[in-house]
Amino acid sequence: MQPAATALKTTDAEVRQFPIPANVHAETVVSVKHYTDRLFSFRITRPQSFRFRSGEFVMIGLPNAEKPVFRAYSIASPAWDDEIEFFSIKVPDGPLTSELQKIQPGDTVLMRQKATGTLVVDALTPGKRLFMISTGTGIAPFASLVRDPDTYEKFEEVILTHTCRDHAELRYGEELFDQAANDPLIGEVAAGRLTHYCTTTREISPRMGRITRLIENGKLYADLGIPPLDPATDRVMICGSMSMLKDVKELVESLGFTEGSLNHPAEFVVERAFVG
Ligand code: A2P
């Protein structure tokens, strides 16, 4: 009698290989950059057929189990990019990130076929200024949007705020901003229209404090020399931890902003920064 076929193959070298699940792209890691012991970014190849809107997220996983663990990750690269970029936290005992943080160029990352999400410009009604409020890895969808010329077609000014515990955690955003400024396509369209405002909460820096406090006490506006948030002219996108989302949402609602979605575009949209 033939032995039953098993999903698990054992190669000559005793390397266990699991089959790639159906409806999943298996992509190759192109580069990895570690920023701190909590944060890293990586880029993978992009399947030709994969389409997404800047600001959306997709489920990713690793081919290290028969039933891989998938987690939602905001795509940090813009829709026109040939590669897909992600910015991730490292959770020591996280079901995915404990392994994901070990990836090297040439390794395989699995990606589901459909991207989705609410941090897209079409979920907002037209406005003049677009505020992107982020903490930690919540900057990822905005890294996509600030590098997309479409964003500047819809808004005259883009103000990206990023708050982290310390300066080392702000580095990804600083590099993003420098890269965008020097990019032949984005540098020109964003010139004089993209502002990057970063603050720290646990390390002394020129700008300190949670963004909620800096909006409430007017320091954000004073530092940038701009008029306060106004639902008549401004739109807001928010991405960060659950408690940050709750507080910033309450804050903008108290200023008269209403929450939108793709089906009902309005004045602000919210997405949780994903961990796992
Ligand atoms: P804090 O240091 O005061 O907690 P984390 O790395 O824990 O996700 O936090 C990222 C940044 O978000 C930190 O600077 C943190 O400030 C800030 N933060 C956390 N909770 C809130 C909140 N409810 N509102 C505004 N900022 C917050």
Side-chain angles (χ1 to χ4, degrees):
M1 204 172 93
Q2 292 284 316
T6 59
L8 196 65
K9 290 183 204 137
T10 304
T11 66
D12 291 340
E14 293 298 315
V15 174
R16 298 189 313 157
Q17 292 182 326
F18 293 96
I20 304 296
N23 303 322
V24 164
H25 296 292
E27 297 304 311
T28 305
V29 176
V30 178
S31 58
V32 184
K33 183 160 183 179
H34 292 268
Y35 287 88
T36 68
D37 56 6
R38 293 205 317 144
L39 297 172
F40 72 114
S41 70
F42 58 99
R43 292 174 72 86
I44 62 172
T45 50
R46 176 175 179 170
Q48 287 241 316
S49 60
F50 182 68
R51 295 276 171 272
F52 69 100
R53 279 185 274 218
S54 295
E56 287 187 323
F57 66 84
V58 67
M59 306 297 290
I60 66 170
L62 286 172
N64 58 355
E66 202 166 352
K67 280 207 173 149
V69 175
F70 281 87
R71 287 286 181 270
Y73 268 78
S74 287
I75 300 170
S77 45
W80 54 261
D81 203 322
D82 289 342
E83 295 170 355
I84 305 282
E85 180 178 315
F86 299 102
F87 182 44
S88 177
I89 194 133
K90 306 174 192 176
V91 182
D93 52 358
L96 178 60
T97 64
S98 57
E99 290 303 313
L100 193 64
Q101 64 180 285
K102 298 177 196 156
I103 54 168
Q104 304 277 352
D107 288 352
T108 300
V109 168
L110 306 180
M111 184 171 75
R112 289 211 194 279
Q113 291 177 348
K114 197 169 154 27
T116 185
T118 55
L119 298 182
V120 291
V121 287
D122 291 343
L124 295 169
T125 46
K128 277 192 175 173
R129 300 188 299 179
L130 175 58
F131 285 78
M132 301 168 166
I133 313 278
S134 68
T135 55
T137 56
I139 194 175
F142 304 140
S144 174
L145 283 158
V146 300
R147 290 185 274 187
D148 191 329
D150 266 8
T151 307
Y152 305 90
E153 274 187 21
K154 300 241 162 85
F155 296 94
E156 288 170 22
E157 281 174 61
V158 177
I159 295 141
L160 167 63
T161 83
H162 191 205
T163 302
C164 291
R165 296 179 184 189
D166 57 37
H167 187 256
E169 295 189 343
L170 292 171
R171 198 149 59 85
Y172 175 82
E174 289 170 348
E175 287 180 4
L176 162 77
F177 191 78
D178 291 345
Q179 232 180 47
N182 293 318
D183 183 277
L185 175 70
I186 299 307
E188 196 170 318
V189 75
R193 297 167 64 193
L194 172 63
T195 302
H196 181 214
Y197 182 83
C198 19
T199 77
T200 57
T201 52
R202 302 191 193 184
E203 184 183 51
I204 306 277
S205 73
R207 294 200 194 101
M208 279 202 71
R210 289 185 168 192
I211 197 65
T212 36
R213 192 165 63 81
L214 299 171
I215 292 174
E216 276 164 343
N217 67 16
K219 190 163 187 324
L220 168 71
Y221 312 128
D223 284 347
L224 298 179
I226 57 169
L229 275 165
D230 178 353
T233 49
D234 303 330
R235 300 295 168 257
V236 183
M237 291 177 158
I238 310 164
C239 190
S241 64
M242 288 306 277
S243 79
M244 174 271 195
L245 295 188
K246 182 177 166 288
D247 290 353
V248 181
K249 179 175 145 79
E250 279 174 17
L251 175 56
V252 295
E253 281 175 341
S254 76
L255 299 173
F257 287 78
T258 36
E259 186 166 0
S261 65
L262 265 173
N263 291 337
H264 298 284
E267 290 145 0
F268 79 94
V269 281
V270 171
E271 198 117 81
R272 163 169 189 254
F274 307 102
V275 292

